[in-house]
Amino acid sequence: MTIQKVGVAGCGIMGSGIAQVAALSGYDVIVREVNKTLLDTGLDKLKISLSKAVDKEKIAQQDMEDALGRIHDTLNLEEFSDCDLVIEAIVEDLDAKKELFASLEDICSGSTIFASNTSSLTISKIAESSDKTGRFVGLHFFNPVIQMPLVEVVKSSETDEDVFDTAYEFAEDLGKKPIACKDETGFVVNRLLVPFLLDAIRSLESGIASITDIDKGMHLGAGHPMGPFTLLDYVGLDTTHHIANIMYEEFGEERFAPPKLLTKLVENEMYGKKSGRGFYEYTGEKPVPVEL
Ligand code: 3HC
């Protein structure tokens, strides 16, 4: 199976990142959003990230221009008709994902690979609405996509062997380091990372240390590039809350249950970096821990 044209459904943080790395690796990319505002915001993010990569001398100016020349954008899903691979990076909602793939089944050829960047749903559930479950695979990227080397490649019990192999090779071709994962909620990384992040919140709730000191502790004492609160704000508190709920529902274990403080911050629309406030406030030059 040869991949030449890649469709990316969704141009949020993850979709725009996936589109960037695919285009930088020479693939023709078409990225789709549901409305012009979301599309323009995503494309702006993509351009800023590529410019940063140029500023940091990770790529040449010409690489950026070539990559941008390979990315086409659309509001119309029909334009995915000649894609060899479609990567879904839309909202983390099972029904929305199923509906998207049901539309794509009518649009794409029978040989198109359908990949999901889901962080907490299973590939087999997403594939439920389809007759061709063998073409579904997981390609779970990490934020920021351009910098994080890992891709979890997820094989459901029904994923065709050649679909999995092609997806794995595609991830390698992007310069990523893939790992093979079983199709279970949270795969490898989120299954371990999410309870850790939730435990950090529980530690804060029980007064073990301040936001800054817990962050400093894990950064300096455990070698994490970001402390848990910086990472929570980076990933998004709403996103983490949503993933935790899905995992709690699936496993029924307390360690996956969203702590009260997380729920309160999300209810107050404190989503982290993207909304300007989470565990830190991002209005000044440096993030400042909020009074909780
Ligand atoms: N291309 C584009 N931008 C680049 C870049 C490159 N090659 N290199 C650096 N940059 C950007 C950085 O993203 C950062 O941007 P920002 O200010 O807008 O955040 C800025 O330049 C400064 O970068 P630094 O050089 O200071 O930072 P580092 O490059 O050393 O590290 C980091 C940044 C890679 C984000 C690092 O802190 C890190 O690894 N953090 C942990 C991230 C993590 O754990 N991600 C996984 C989250 S979980 C997930 O995604 C799963 C999901 O399902 C929830």
Side-chain angles (χ1 to χ4, degrees), residues 26 44 63 121-122 139 155 157 172 184 207 255-256 267-268:
D44 284 349
D63 297 333
L121 299 165
T122 60
L139 275 173
K155 190 174 188 296
S157 56
E172 285 182 324
E184 279 190 12
R255 65 200 184 102
F256 295 107
E267 279 169 2
N268 288 329

Side-chain angles (χ1 to χ4, degrees), residues 7 9 85-89 100-101 104 112-118 123 126 135-141 163 167 170:
L85 166 69
V86 175
I87 307 174
E88 166 278 309
L100 175 84
F101 282 120
L104 285 168
T112 305
I113 295 178
F114 286 168
S116 173
N117 179 58
T118 181
I123 302 307
I126 293 170
R135 63 154 80 179
F136 284 78
V137 67
L139 275 173
H140 183 218
F141 291 79
V163 166
F170 171 75

Side-chain angles (χ1 to χ4, degrees), residues 14 49 52-53 56 58 119 140-144 146-148 190 193 225-226 231 234-235 239 243 273:
M14 300 308 286
S49 172
K52 269 193 199 166
K56 291 192 168 274
K58 305 284 183 195
S119 48
H140 183 218
F141 291 79
F142 290 79
N143 182 18
I146 196 164
Q147 282 173 276
M148 300 303 283
N190 279 343
L193 180 66
M226 289 173 164
L231 184 56
Y234 196 80
V235 169
T239 306
I243 296 174
K273 225 176 161 190

Side-chain angles (χ1 to χ4, degrees), residues 53-113:
V54 173
D55 293 345
K56 291 192 168 274
E57 298 182 351
K58 305 284 183 195
I59 58 168
Q61 175 77 23
Q62 190 59 50
D63 297 333
M64 174 174 91
E65 283 164 24
D66 291 348
L68 288 173
R70 285 187 208 105
I71 300 174
H72 302 277
D73 57 90
T74 184
L75 296 175
N76 183 3
L77 208 54
E78 304 276 337
E79 290 194 40
F80 279 21
S81 61
D82 57 347
C83 288
D84 307 299
L85 166 69
V86 175
I87 307 174
E88 166 278 309
I90 64 166
V91 59
E92 193 69 348
D93 177 270
L94 182 60
D95 290 339
K97 288 182 195 290
K98 279 172 140 179
E99 198 180 308
L100 175 84
F101 282 120
S103 307
L104 285 168
E105 283 210 323
D106 295 335
I107 293 167
C108 297
S109 88
S111 61
T112 305
I113 295 178

